[in-house]
Amino acid sequence: MADNPEHCPITTQGLEINAVADGYIVYQSARDRVHYLNQTAALILELCNGRNAASDLPELLQSAFDLPDAPVEEVEECVRTLRTEGLVA
Amino acid sequence: MRQNIAYGRIGRLMHVERFQFLSTEFEIRTNSLELLDQVCGVAPHLQQEISISHCHTISIAWTGEEFRISNGNGGEDYEISSTIVIDQLFTRMHKLALANLPDHIRLRAVTGNHAGQAFLMVGQKCSGKTTLAVHLLLAGYDVCGDELALLLDGQAVAFPRRFLVRGDCLELLPQLKSSEEFIASAAKPVRETLIGIDPIGLGKPWRLVPLDVSAFFFIEPNYGARTTIQPCGKLQMLRHIIPQCAPPGSKRANWIGDLSHTIDNTNTFMLRLGELNSAVLAIKEILG
């Protein structure tokens, strides 16, 4: 289901998300791990709110950063990593 | 404050001395004046502008054959060697003092005070923190702590203990080599030997007070070269600093948030530590 482009990824519950000037520090108490997200990864995490389809995320990033093209592969890679690390479902 | 109290019934003379470690005061009671003199010789003597909220009594009784150490909780330790007794005593006091600050984040860092705010120099073991700390002290900076800093809500305070310089680093501190106190160690420098130094012994004031943190420096060794300091992003600084932290004893939620917020609101720098005189100049450019 997660590979379905229409799937709406959602941030895992129970994460401690702390914003700093250049990204997010995310503490995952379930695994006692700290994750360091740069501004792009932080925005993708924010957009994983259960209402945005995975297929829509690249265009949302394109709009947010005023990019010439939608960063499809980069966003898919980031979402895959967030999922692997247990930060999104 | 030394008190000599005679107990008429048991005929023992008890010597008493009090020591403060941040918010905890310890009353040490012993029948061995010689031991108490040794303890006073090792203990840090400094001004601490922190209210005392906890008091503990530790008794050390010399029976004629062994020392018995007790802090009144029912358990006793027994030792023959006064050196080991003193080591155990300070371990106990440090442990209890830290336990009485359960919400503070513990950070492996040198603490300094400048213009009414604290600056912290964080680094791994053997990165040169202590040698740099002593060099800054001798250059006139108010460096008040080595090895352990405690953080809470954006403020830092050093844990009161002497600075421990490795014997083989004395040659980097030529200002000390001529001092009588260090001549013997300087003549035969041994890496494993730790030499205790404190600001008062160097003729400087020594005062601890919690202050807002204005700057973090993360130290990376760059021996043999000139010291450089570069601004560092917050995420990168946290990536360096978090491994040098221990969580608060209370395991309070969002201590990482507290640390992140502190770092986000300070100036953060990578300090590639080379030659010490150039380090002082580089730090002066940043702190003023």
Side-chain angles (χ1 to χ4, degrees), chain B residues 205-226:
Chain B
W206 195 9
R207 184 177 74 105
L208 297 188
V209 55
L211 290 174
D212 291 342
V213 184
S214 67
F216 278 88
F217 298 86
F218 188 81
I219 296 176
E220 282 186 334
N222 190 29
Y223 305 144
R226 190 169 179 78

Side-chain angles (χ1 to χ4, degrees), chain A residues 8-25:
Chain A
C8 297
I10 188 163
T11 306
T12 304
Q13 288 201 342
L15 300 177
E16 284 179 21
I17 300 174
N18 299 287
V20 292
D22 50 358
Y24 281 1
I25 304 289

Side-chain angles (χ1 to χ4, degrees), chain B residues 119 121 131-143 279-280 283:
Chain B
F119 64 90
M121 302 192 149
T131 311
L132 177 58
V134 175
H135 202 78
L136 285 171
L137 195 55
L138 292 166
Y141 282 92
D142 180 7
V143 180
V280 174
I283 289 164

